[in-house]
């Protein structure tokens, strides 16, 4: 049996209760109480809280309609929370849902690199060099006026609506590894190389979203089945 550290009327505050409160503060608020003085201050706070509770009970607060509403809501939330603790959704379940519902995760994206220059003639010359065997990314590093030149022209992944229309149209029309002709935009003249193309959002990107959906689905199903079962146990009358 846990050691009793304080007593308010008939309510005992034990060492176990104090330690549980310390653990909760550490987990929820990253507050770490280690010294005996800190623990004593926390014990004093627990005593103070219980004094308020005792006074509320004595004053009849717990008999009010407002308190009874709050009490019933607490019982409901706590009961449902305990029931939902049994719910578990595995990554395998999420992957199965992902595979069975591919239409939900359609999102065409591409990854491209480009070389940006100010003059069309220079772009044509660079394209000729590439066609003759020059390395696209090396030329991007040496000649592109875009900051992406430092990465060999790599712009990373992007979807529709993220680039100027001329650039987007050309990039999405390419096959992986293919290089465009000279593309003019408001920024200058581009040579575009398609590095990758995806038509579906990767599973790892949507795993948290799917898991939350399946947890909520299981919660709703469990709650519905549970309350339907209770209707045969308790009398329900409607006006």
């Amino acid at each position: 049996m846990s050691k009793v550290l304080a007593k308010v009327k008939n309510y005992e505050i034990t060492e176990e209760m104090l330690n549980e409160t310390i653990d909760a503060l550490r987990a929820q608020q990253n507050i770490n109480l280690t010294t005996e003085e800190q623990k004593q201050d926390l014990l004093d706070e627990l005593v103070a809280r219980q004094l308020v509770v005792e006074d509320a009970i004595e004053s009849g607060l717990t008999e009010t309609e407002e308190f009874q509403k709050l009490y019933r809501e607490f019982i409901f939330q706590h009961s449902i929370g305990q029931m939902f603790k049994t719910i578990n959704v595995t990554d395998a379940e999420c992957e199965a849902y992902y595979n069975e519902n591919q239409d939900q995760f359609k999102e065409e994206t591409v990854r491209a690199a480009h070389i940006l220059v100010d003059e069309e003639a220079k772009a044509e010359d660079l394209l000729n060099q590439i066609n003759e065997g020059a390395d696209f990314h090396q030329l991007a590093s040496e000649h592109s006026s875009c900051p992406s030149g430092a990465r060999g022209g790599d712009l990373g992944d992007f979807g529709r609506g993220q680039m100027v229309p001329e650039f987007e149209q050309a990039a999405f029309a390419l096959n992986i590894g293919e290089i465009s002709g000279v593309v003019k935009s408001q920024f200058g003249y581009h040579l575009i190389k398609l590095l990758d193309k995806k038509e579906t959002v990767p599973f790892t990107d949507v795993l948290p979203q799917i898991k939350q959906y399946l947890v909520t689905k299981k919660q709703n199903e469990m709650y519905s089945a549970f309350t339907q079962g209770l209707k045969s146990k308790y009398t329900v009358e409607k006006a």
Side-chain angles (χ1 to χ4, degrees), residues 129-142:
Q129 292 184 48
I130 292 168
N131 290 334
E132 291 172 3
D135 183 74
F136 181 98
H137 302 286
Q138 182 64 38
L139 291 179
S141 299
E142 295 173 355

Side-chain angles (χ1 to χ4, degrees), residues 19 72 83 98 105 131-132 145 151 196-197 230:
N19 290 334
R72 286 180 176 276
M83 183 171 64
Y98 175 83
F105 308 104
N131 290 334
E132 291 172 3
S145 60
R151 302 184 298 275
D196 195 13
K197 180 181 288 188
L230 292 178

Side-chain angles (χ1 to χ4, degrees), residues 8-220:
V8 180
K9 290 187 67 174
N10 295 322
Y11 184 84
E12 295 179 343
I13 300 173
T14 65
E15 187 171 35
E16 182 180 359
M17 292 166 61
L18 179 65
N19 290 334
E20 287 177 351
T21 306
I22 291 172
D23 290 341
L25 287 171
R26 183 184 299 115
Q28 297 170 12
Q29 302 180 36
N30 199 28
I31 297 175
N32 195 16
L33 306 181
T34 55
T35 68
E36 287 304 315
E37 183 179 359
Q38 290 173 324
K39 293 179 181 179
Q40 187 59 49
D41 287 342
L42 182 57
L43 177 60
D44 290 342
E45 175 59 22
L46 294 179
V47 168
R49 287 172 177 246
Q50 189 56 33
L51 287 169
V52 173
V53 170
E54 294 294 344
D55 183 65
I57 295 172
E58 188 174 317
S59 65
L61 181 63
T62 57
E63 304 302 321
T64 64
E65 182 178 351
E66 182 180 6
F67 177 85
Q68 291 301 318
K69 288 180 180 179
L70 291 172
Y71 179 61
R72 286 180 176 276
E73 179 63 22
F74 170 78
I75 293 175
F76 169 78
Q77 294 292 347
H78 183 69
S79 175
I80 296 302
Q82 291 298 110
M83 183 171 64
F84 285 169
K85 281 183 179 180
T86 63
I87 290 176
N88 180 50
V89 173
T90 66
D91 287 356
E93 288 179 275
C94 294
E95 188 168 9
Y97 180 87
Y98 175 83
N99 292 332
E100 293 166 6
N101 297 273
Q102 286 287 295
D103 288 346
Q104 294 185 23
F105 308 104
K106 294 291 185 184
E107 183 181 335
E108 190 179 12
T109 61
V110 296
R111 181 182 175 192
H114 81 142
I115 301 172
L116 175 64
V117 294
D118 294 333
E119 299 176 358
E120 184 176 9
K122 184 173 182 179
E124 293 284 1
D125 177 59
L126 292 173
L127 181 58
N128 288 333
Q129 292 184 48
I130 292 168
N131 290 334
E132 291 172 3
D135 183 74
F136 181 98
H137 302 286
Q138 182 64 38
L139 291 179
S141 299
E142 295 173 355
H143 299 283
S144 182
S145 60
C146 177
S148 66
R151 302 184 298 275
D154 193 347
L155 293 166
D157 295 332
F158 56 89
R160 293 190 182 275
Q162 294 182 253
M163 299 293 181
V164 292
E166 303 89 344
F167 189 98
E168 176 187 300
Q169 183 177 356
F172 277 87
L174 294 171
N175 295 314
I176 296 175
E178 188 178 3
I179 297 171
S180 72
V182 177
V183 177
K184 182 181 179 181
S185 79
Q186 66 196 67
F187 299 106
Y189 296 88
H190 309 260
L191 298 177
I192 306 168
K193 180 179 180 180
L194 191 68
L195 305 178
D196 195 13
K197 180 181 288 188
K198 300 172 185 174
E199 294 185 353
T200 305
V201 181
F203 170 66
T204 52
D205 290 357
V206 292
L207 173 58
Q209 171 190 333
I210 294 174
K211 183 164 287 190
Q212 183 56 55
Y213 168 77
L214 292 180
V215 166
T216 302
K217 184 173 182 287
K218 286 189 176 185
Q219 288 175 340
N220 290 337

